[in-house]
């Protein structure tokens, strides 16, 4: 039997990522994959997100963030893999 490994990802997404529905796109993708966490805009113009879930689900959401929604232009993604905490019950957009 294969055990599903839980992972946590912390991303800072740079480029044209505000004003293009990036947060809504990210939230929809995360919820569809069963990933928990949050996404928010930063004053710098970047978007920050934290994802928790199974390794495969988190990887899918992370991959989607490298492209983003139509209208976005992702120029860089800073990706860290901190220790899984299991602290979220849902996925939310933070303001």
């Amino acid at each position: 039997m294969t055990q599903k490994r839980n992972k946590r990802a912390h991303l800072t997404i740079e480029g044209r990522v505000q004003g293009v529905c990036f947060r809504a796109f990210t939230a929809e993708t995360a919820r569809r994959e069963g990933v928990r966490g949050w996404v928010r805009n930063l004053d710098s113009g970047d978007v920050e997100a934290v994802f928790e879930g199974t390794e495969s689900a988190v990887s899918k959401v992370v991959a989607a963030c490298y492209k983003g929604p139509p209208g976005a232009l992702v120029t860089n993604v800073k990706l860290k893999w901190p220790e899984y905490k299991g602290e979220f019950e849902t996925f939310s957009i933070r303001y």
Side-chain angles (χ1 to χ4, degrees):
M1 188 155 100
T2 309
Q3 182 181 1
K4 290 185 177 181
R5 292 188 49 219
N6 286 324
K7 297 288 272 189
R8 180 183 181 105
H10 178 249
L11 291 79
T12 303
I13 303 121
E14 301 172 350
R16 187 173 65 231
V17 293
Q18 290 189 14
V20 294
C21 298
F22 205 101
R23 290 174 301 170
F25 165 84
T26 303
E28 182 181 311
T29 304
R31 291 173 184 145
R32 185 175 60 239
E33 296 298 334
V35 169
R36 297 166 303 284
W38 52 264
V39 61
R40 68 178 176 186
N41 283 344
L42 297 175
D43 291 340
S44 63
D46 301 334
V47 170
E48 180 183 26
V50 173
F51 305 128
E52 284 195 343
T54 64
E55 189 171 12
S56 63
V58 169
S59 294
K60 287 177 187 174
V61 181
V62 167
C65 287
Y66 277 84
K67 187 168 194 265
L73 180 61
V74 177
T75 57
N76 189 38
V77 176
K78 295 177 182 171
L79 174 60
K80 297 177 186 165
W81 297 96
E83 189 174 325
Y84 177 81
K85 295 181 182 175
E87 64 181 309
F88 308 112
E89 291 184 18
T90 61
F91 194 89
S92 62
I93 297 175
R94 292 189 174 175
Y95 296 94

